[in-house]
Amino acid sequence: MLLTLITFIPLFGALVILAAPKSYIESVKWTALAASAASLALCIPLMIVFPYGEPGFHLAPRLISWIPALGIDYRIGVDGLSLILVVLTALLSSLSILASFSGIQTHQKEFYFFMLILETGMLGTFVALDMFLFFLFWELMLVPMYFIIGVWGGRQRIYASIKFFLYTAFGSALMLLVIFYLYFQAADAMGGVMSFNIENFITLELDPSKQYWLFFAFILAFLIKMPVFPLHTWLPYAHTEAPTAGSVILAGVLLKTGVYGFLRFAVPIFPAAAVAFTPWLMLLALIGIVYGAMLAMVQHDVKRLVAYSSVSHMGLLLAGILSWNAQGLQGGIIQMINHGLSTGALFLIVGMVYERRHTREIDQFGGLAKVMPVYAAFFMIFMLSSIGLPGLNGFVGELLVLIGLMRVSLVWTCIAATGVVLGAAYMLWLYQRMMFGPIKLEANQILRDITRREILVLLPLALLCFAIGFYPAPLQATIEPPVQNIIQAVQPYLPDASPWYELPEIQVDQSGAAGLE
Amino acid sequence: MIDFPEISWASIAPQTVILITALTVLAIDLLPRKIERINITLTALLGVVIALIFARNLTPAYETDFSGMIYRDGVSIYLDQLLLAGTALILLMSHRYAQFHPIAYGEYTVLLLFASLGMMTISISADLITLFIGVELLSLSLYVMSGMDKSSLSSGEASVKYFLLGAFSTGFLVYGMALLFGACRTSNLVLIGSAILDGGAGTPLLILGFALVLVGLGFKISLVPFHMWAPDVYQGAPTPVTAWIAAGSKIAGFAALLRIFSLPGISFEPFGGYWAQAIWWLSMLTMIIGNAGALVQNDIKRMLAYSSIAHGGYLSMAFTANNTVGLQALLFYLAAYLFMTLGAFAVVIAVRRNGRECLSIPDLAGLARQHPGVAGLMAVFLFSLAGMPFTAGFVGKLWLFGAAIQEKYYLLAAVGILTTLLSFYYYLRIIVFMYMHEPQKDAVFDAVPASGRIAAGLAAAGVLALGVYPNLLWKVLAAHTNGL
């Protein structure tokens, strides 16, 4: 019941907004915030009652048969992985709605309507345990985001929104085809019981030769969403043209749905193919890391820079996952949260200055630290978190990813580390150009520092960055069972000694501890 | 003393009511005093509602009646209800349309009811003769209706084009029927079925007969390559007539295909084998060419014409799949198609700018600013046509593709899904104009009348209800298609 409420309260809020008369703009804003915040508030009891450390899915409400003719059920539940993503989604949604109070000046009613629908879509994606339900929620995210980019976006918004829509729809269509194939296979295997329950799909144990094609068609949707290197071209447009709230949600949550789908569905259903494709996917991830970072380096537009940094970070995250060991997977999953917090926050930061100056050209700024000290402080925190400074969340994730990779291949680790170094370079350079130096332009002289509402938006994110940075253990404990699950799924297929498994396992804990004593 | 065969009037009650309503409207239109449009509309609506009540209360009987001329099974009851619901929506739209266009409204309404009667005759026919009468009644009415806007040259053009090509295709149909009669020595579909089962299958006469019937009906449902008439006729005909050609005539065409190729009781089996392959090709071509054609259209009615062609392709997948799931999917998708197509046309009719119809897509620029409600409804219909989740179009497509995949027609399903993707582009284009473009200079959209809002609202309710909770219709379908 709790999960159902968390998922559908935003949808209910959206319907209330739809029914509201046009003149009630102020109440519409607050209704949207209230609906989103209610969902977030319910996450607290969720986190309290969640049985940490136990494998499997929990807190499932009573199963409801939704479309019995096709065997589609309302089947939801959470494990550690979905739990943290649900909380992240609820948090970022509330904050981006709060951040939109000043940024969105036209068609407010429609905007908050779409934001809330989007929130339900995202939450549903993370809790669905019926493959078909998952697909529905996955598609439900598409339409609101399309409108958010297309109606409230920047100059090239129409191009950006259509590109986003078509890329995503293409991936989903192939995914649907595979889902159907699996559905009929599972029905055969289960003696004619038609069901989209993912457990049935996982126990299917498909013939490896069949798995390859299916896996490829299946993960394309996730690779587009993440995005992985050659499929990333929709991202810079969508992120740059979207309004602030759209960019925050895109970077913070939507990209994670791709990784989530990969981990939750693709890997357990096609473990053999997942391992077989690992070198290729790893290659793409590594290209993404370096290529994204290099492109970020040369951008003139702040938002575009952050967008390309996302490509780089998502590559690193995927590389960690593809190492298929506890450290890499943990690092990858923690990076999902970190990237959501820090990149989401950076988009908010960019949005705040854009609202004041109506430009995102880096050249137009300089010396902002003098006129906007509080703003500069927050910017610094998130910038450093994105770079991965020790003590902040980014460090924990990146370190684990690199350790995980190191256990697999030294070469890959070196390439991935390049991305981290480049990341520090472009971020610091960006900060230097925007915040330090003399104030060259008259318009920047009179900028106001951020308001209390804006501080309220940024503060929770900053606190979380520190919290995860100083004490990541609870987070690690939460995701431990799902990580073990994934390892168990792929373990039988991992080669003992293949070219990409060149290093022996490092025994850090025992000998290292002994040496210190 | 003549022996009258035993007949059950109850089984044709909806058809009878529509006939009486049509004649009543004809009579009151002939009265010397000028009759208000609203009275004609209300009379016709009343008749349709009564017919709908009769249709709802029918019980399926799995045997022929009227000396083997009609067959009142669950499918026909279902189709009658769909067609009547469609007729009611069309009446609501026409009422508004006639306000601005010089259409003889009394005659128009009579013809509309006759067209619907023709469609409902097809749905119950158990004999080639009944079926042919239905096809002709429907076609002749629509030929005339296409040309009823006397102020518009293209309306006349549409009428002539539709008539000439339609008459040509009817020739194929009737010749095919003659060959079937020759091959099986009967025009009764049930007897034809048993003749084939007895080993008559595979004779050249029979194959040729079926092929010609398929061509004739392929024209009615505008399957590629028999689709050439559709864009011009759709564009030229008065918009409510276009809507009824798109929805009603297509449903009737599929009803005829169902009757001939899969009369329940005989099931798909005896014919299925031959036609699966032929229809596989037709469906493939129709999906590809229909969607590709729609991509480049700038006129909404033309775009919807190609979209309707494309949907014919998706629908005919059911005949290739040739299984119970396919039949149910077809029947479900016909309902979905009816609501979303009529809904889209209802919006096109309801929205006028500076007193003129908005027929080119850029004309709709900025509609969401002035009429957010109507634009929202249009978006619902377009998303449903494109097949987005939580709309009827999605569930229908899913079901159809599922039927094809179940029978291992993977390529067909894959092409279906890929062309659906292609269709996103042109449906989204309208949404882009409505929501993301500024209104054109000095463009003011006129107020949207209640009849338009009601028609579009009802259609949207149908689209969303079937999309969110398909069980509503599933139960009905399961009841009406059991025993197959």
Side-chain angles (χ1 to χ4, degrees), chain A residues 22 66-70 107 110 132 135-136 139-140 142-143 146-147 150-151 157-158 161-162 165-166 169-170 173 176-177 180-181 184 194, chain B residues 368-369 372 379 383 388-390 394 398-399 402 405-406 410 413-414 417-418 421 424-425 428 431-432 435-437 467-471 474:
Chain A
K22 229 179 172 174
W66 180 30
I67 308 179
L70 296 174
H107 302 63
E110 288 84 353
F132 194 82
F135 182 79
L136 287 179
E139 290 288 286
L140 186 62
L142 178 54
V143 175
Y146 162 73
F147 276 108
V151 178
R157 62 184 198 280
I158 294 175
S161 64
I162 290 185
F165 194 100
L166 293 183
F170 176 73
L176 182 63
L177 207 61
F180 253 110
Y181 180 85
F184 286 115
M194 307 296 246
Chain B
R369 298 280 164 84
F383 277 126
M388 289 306 290
F390 300 104
F394 172 75
L398 190 78
W399 213 328
I405 291 176
Q406 197 177 20
Y410 298 120
I417 288 181
L418 290 177
L421 277 180
F424 281 143
Y425 178 79
L428 283 186
I431 294 179
V432 165
Y435 278 88
M436 301 172 196
H437 280 281
V468 174
Y469 197 63
N471 248 6
W474 168 262

Side-chain angles (χ1 to χ4, degrees), chain B residues 430-441:
Chain B
I430 298 186
I431 294 179
V432 165
F433 271 101
M434 289 194 310
Y435 278 88
M436 301 172 196
H437 280 281
E438 295 298 317
Q440 290 172 358
K441 262 187 299 179

Side-chain angles (χ1 to χ4, degrees), chain A residues 250-434:
Chain A
L250 261 174
V253 185
L254 287 199
L255 304 190
K256 309 307 173 306
T257 61
V259 187
Y260 174 79
F262 184 75
L263 288 175
R264 166 73 73 239
F265 301 107
V267 175
I269 297 177
F270 310 103
V275 173
F277 272 91
T278 296
W280 299 104
L281 289 174
M282 183 67 94
L283 182 68
L284 296 180
L286 294 177
I287 294 176
I289 295 176
V290 179
Y291 179 74
M294 285 164 76
L295 280 177
M297 193 85 88
V298 296
Q299 297 303 321
H300 301 289
D301 182 316
V302 197
K303 224 172 165 183
R304 251 186 131 74
L305 187 148
V306 181
Y308 276 111
S309 86
S310 270
V311 176
S312 178
H313 281 133
M314 293 307 281
L316 186 68
L317 188 166
L318 181 64
I321 286 171
L322 290 174
S323 64
W324 301 127
N325 53 40
Q327 289 83 354
L329 280 163
Q330 281 210 345
I333 294 171
I334 291 177
Q335 271 305 85
M336 281 164 81
I337 302 297
N338 292 344
H339 180 257
L341 295 174
S342 61
T343 309
L346 283 175
F347 276 121
L348 286 169
I349 289 272
V350 175
M352 286 168 186
V353 78
Y354 178 77
E355 275 171 34
R356 288 166 171 73
R357 283 279 278 107
H358 297 286
T359 178
R360 294 184 305 246
E361 292 293 312
I362 299 173
D363 297 347
Q364 293 287 314
F365 300 104
L368 293 193
K370 293 196 181 70
V371 284
M372 302 171 77
V374 184
Y375 176 80
F378 275 112
F379 196 167
M380 171 104 79
I381 294 170
F382 296 123
M383 185 260 308
L384 292 176
S385 145
S386 173
I387 294 172
L389 190 80
L392 283 160
N393 57 350
F395 174 73
V396 180
E398 283 182 3
L399 188 69
L400 280 169
V401 165
L402 292 178
I403 291 175
L405 271 179
M406 187 69 106
R407 282 181 57 185
V408 178
S409 157
L410 186 61
V411 181
W412 292 355
T413 318
C414 292
I415 300 174
T418 326
V420 178
V421 176
L422 286 173
Y426 61 74
M427 274 298 167
L428 288 171
W429 192 32
L430 168 75
Y431 193 78
Q432 182 201 340
R433 281 183 290 171
M434 276 183 76

Side-chain angles (χ1 to χ4, degrees), chain A residues 36 88-97 100 111 114-123 126 141 144-145 148-149 164 225 234 239 242-257 339-340 343-345 347-348:
Chain A
S36 189
L88 177 75
T89 307
L91 176 69
L92 285 181
S93 299
S94 303
L95 294 182
S96 50
I97 285 177
S100 304
F111 179 81
F114 285 129
M115 280 299 282
L116 290 174
I117 298 267
L118 180 64
E119 186 177 352
T120 289
M122 296 184 298
L123 292 168
F126 291 134
M141 296 186 295
M145 190 41 97
I148 288 173
I149 300 173
F164 166 74
K225 206 82 157 199
W234 63 270
H239 279 55
T244 302
S247 309
V248 174
I249 296 292
L250 261 174
V253 185
L254 287 199
L255 304 190
K256 309 307 173 306
T257 61
H339 180 257
T343 309
F347 276 121
L348 286 169

Side-chain angles (χ1 to χ4, degrees), chain A residues 67-73 75 130-133 175-198 200-202 204 206 214 218 269-270, chain B residues 325 398-399 401-406 410 474:
Chain A
I67 308 179
L70 296 174
I72 299 168
D73 299 321
R75 185 193 303 272
D130 182 282
M131 197 74 218
F132 194 82
L133 199 62
M175 178 162 81
L176 182 63
L177 207 61
V178 178
I179 292 178
F180 253 110
Y181 180 85
L182 292 172
Y183 170 68
F184 286 115
Q185 291 288 317
D188 281 348
M190 307 293 288
V193 182
M194 307 296 246
S195 168
F196 283 97
N197 187 350
I198 54 165
N200 295 2
F201 290 3
I202 291 171
L204 202 52
L206 292 156
L214 289 170
F218 191 65
I269 297 177
F270 310 103
Chain B
V325 179
L398 190 78
W399 213 328
F401 296 163
I405 291 176
Q406 197 177 20
Y410 298 120
W474 168 262

